[in-house]
């Protein structure tokens, strides 16, 4: 039976466990996983801001004609540093799941990455690196250098029930209509505007599609302001913990198959920022469970949120060797449907990272029990170990 909305958290509260074994978790950290919010820390609509201001609020026209404001072409020196550290890491025999800033030194790049990390978390929330030599390096070295770079932005977390900390966005021929079983990133279907279960998401383009597969991003704070002006009732609806998110079977023992939550949150600090958690595919796949059906007002909110995002979005096309990093806290992203080249041309392939930034290290103060954990969020099933495979499986 689904708990009443007045009840407390239906799942056991999250309690950090003892330090995990480095035999199983080579970097000494375990992904926390998905948890319901701490309902007593959720704030009512009346406490949400009447308007959001600052650098997290941006419009597509601010950047569409000025790519120099959001792209960084790697220099020869930066590529050389990444290459040297990747070669040394590979020679060390350390498993890829054990990579960290300690064993992947970037003395020159680290200053730039610290600045980019701050901009991701507290500014516009996106960056596009260009010129990562994936065709020269191949999948293995590219994965090492990419994950090594990522450790300077956050802690990598598991992205699915199999423990993949290096994900692969690739069409594996799975049926995109079976949304209660299939993760859409494993198909060529359109991905609606959404956020991922991490603070930052990275996408490294290994191979492009023949057609489609293009990226759209939008400031969720600009969307919030727009909705307040045009559809304030939608914002109110999205601040209420009446939304059920499917976990698609990626649950640990004793956990519910869904999470009840809101879409817009406030940070737990004074003058907290508005944080967004959203993926319509996880809302629409619940018919097999006994969760309440979407109300007419929820269906309206779902449609209006998507159309507003699409209207305000910045469009970009990732080329081979591009790396896009986005802040899930205040940027929503989408992908158009795509068609791959016929064999022997490679299929569209993006390597994906989910990166966590805990509250004590500059991350947002979220109303979740794991807000202070290094590897907060992500998807963790029981004690499944992390895996970093070099291609989709």
């Amino acid at each position: 039976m689904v708990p009443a909305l007045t009840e407390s958290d239906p799942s056991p509260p999250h309690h950090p466990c003892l330090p995990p074994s480095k035999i199983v978790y080579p970097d000494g950290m375990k992904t926390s996983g998905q948890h319901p919010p701490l309902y007593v820390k959720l704030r009512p609509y009346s406490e949400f801001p009447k308007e959001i201001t600052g650098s997290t609020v941006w419009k597509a026209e601010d950047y569409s004609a000025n790519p120099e404001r959001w792209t960084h072409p790697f220099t020869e020196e930066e590529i050389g540093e990444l290459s040297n550290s990747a070669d040394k890491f590979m020679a060390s025999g350390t498993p890829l799941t054990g990579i960290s800033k300690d064993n992947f030194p970037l003395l020159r790049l680290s200053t730039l990455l610290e600045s980019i990390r701050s901009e991701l978390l507290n500014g516009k929330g996106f960056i596009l690196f260009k010129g990562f030599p994936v065709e020269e390096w191949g999948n293995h070295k590219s994965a090492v250098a990419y994950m090594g770079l990522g450790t300077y932005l956050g802690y990598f977390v598991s992205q699915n029930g199999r423990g993949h900390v290096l994900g692969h966005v690739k069409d594996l021929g799975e049926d995109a209509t079976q949304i209660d079983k299939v993760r859409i990133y494993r198909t060529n279907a359109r991905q609606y505007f959404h956020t991922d279960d991490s603070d930052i998401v990275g996408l490294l383009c290994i191979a492009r599609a023949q057609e489609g597969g293009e990226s759209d991003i939008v400031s969720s704070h600009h969307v919030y302001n727009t909705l307040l002006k045009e559809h304030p009732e939608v914002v109110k609806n999205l601040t209420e913990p009446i939304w059920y998110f499917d976990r698609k079977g990626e649950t640990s023992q004793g956990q519910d198959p869904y999470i009840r939550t809101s879409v817009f949150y406030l940070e737990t600090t004074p003058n907290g920022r508005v944080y967004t958690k959203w993926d319509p595919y996880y809302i629409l796949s619940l018919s097999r469970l006994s969760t309440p059906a979407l109300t007419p007002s929820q269906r309206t909110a779902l449609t209006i949120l998507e159309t507003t995002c699409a209207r305000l979005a910045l469009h970009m096309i990732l080329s081979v060797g591009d790396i896009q990093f986005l802040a899930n806290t205040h940027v929503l992203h989408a992908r158009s449907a795509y068609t791959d080249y016929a064999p022997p041309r490679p299929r569209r392939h993006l390597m994906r990272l989910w990166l966590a930034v805990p509250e004590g290290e500059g991350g947002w103060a979220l109303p979740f029990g794991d807000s202070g954990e290094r590897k907060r969020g992500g998807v963790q099933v029981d004690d499944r170990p992390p895996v970093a495979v070099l291609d989709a499986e």
Side-chain angles (χ1 to χ4, degrees), residues 166-392:
L166 178 63
H168 299 278
V169 180
K170 196 172 191 178
D171 180 19
L172 299 181
E174 297 182 3
D175 184 355
T177 66
Q178 301 295 313
I179 58 174
D180 61 322
K181 305 180 183 70
V182 171
R183 297 278 295 273
I184 298 300
Y185 74 87
R186 295 166 64 86
T187 76
N188 64 355
R190 169 171 171 73
Q191 283 192 298
Y192 297 105
F193 282 92
H194 67 284
T195 60
D196 296 316
D197 282 314
S198 62
D199 294 284
I200 296 170
V201 56
L203 294 169
L204 165 62
C205 184
I206 303 295
R208 286 181 56 180
Q210 180 180 18
E211 183 179 5
E214 298 174 5
S215 177
D216 289 291
I217 67 172
V218 67
S219 161
S220 63
H221 287 175
H222 183 31
V223 171
Y224 175 93
N225 287 344
T226 302
L227 290 175
L228 270 180
K229 293 176 182 177
E230 299 176 356
H231 302 281
E233 74 286 353
V234 168
V235 177
K236 183 177 185 299
N237 190 295
L238 295 173
T239 64
E240 297 173 346
I242 58 174
W243 297 86
Y244 290 83
F245 283 70
D246 193 0
R247 297 188 63 179
K248 300 194 179 185
E250 295 179 318
T251 56
S252 295
Q253 186 175 359
Q255 291 182 328
D256 290 308
Y258 57 83
I259 289 174
R260 175 173 66 85
T261 184
S262 54
V263 176
F264 291 149
Y265 302 86
L266 280 179
E267 280 188 288
T268 57
T269 53
N271 302 312
R273 295 168 288 187
V274 176
Y275 165 79
T276 304
K277 175 183 175 64
W278 179 245
D279 191 329
Y281 278 116
Y282 285 74
I283 302 293
L284 297 171
S285 61
L286 287 163
S287 59
R288 74 189 189 285
L289 301 176
S290 58
T291 52
L294 290 172
T295 64
S297 62
Q298 284 180 297
R299 290 193 175 275
T300 298
L302 189 154
T303 300
I304 290 175
L305 178 56
E306 176 66 23
T307 57
T308 304
C309 287
R311 171 160 57 96
L312 303 178
L314 173 67
H315 186 71
M316 64 176 72
I317 299 173
L318 271 61
S319 299
V320 172
D322 285 357
I323 306 176
Q324 178 194 71
F325 284 108
L326 307 173
N328 285 306
T329 46
H330 57 290
V331 175
L332 292 131
H333 60 286
R335 179 197 75 196
S336 62
Y338 65 91
T339 302
D340 276 323
Y341 288 100
R345 291 283 296 272
R347 287 174 287 171
R348 179 181 185 269
H349 181 195
L350 305 179
M351 288 186 181
R352 185 173 69 180
L353 291 177
W354 283 5
L355 302 171
V357 184
E359 187 175 331
E361 298 182 28
W364 289 35
L366 302 180
F368 292 87
D370 66 347
S371 184
E373 290 192 39
R374 286 183 171 181
K375 290 201 172 187
R376 67 184 190 178
V379 178
Q380 180 67 43
V381 173
D382 296 316
D383 293 322
R384 195 152 297 167
V387 178
V389 294
L390 299 179
D391 207 336

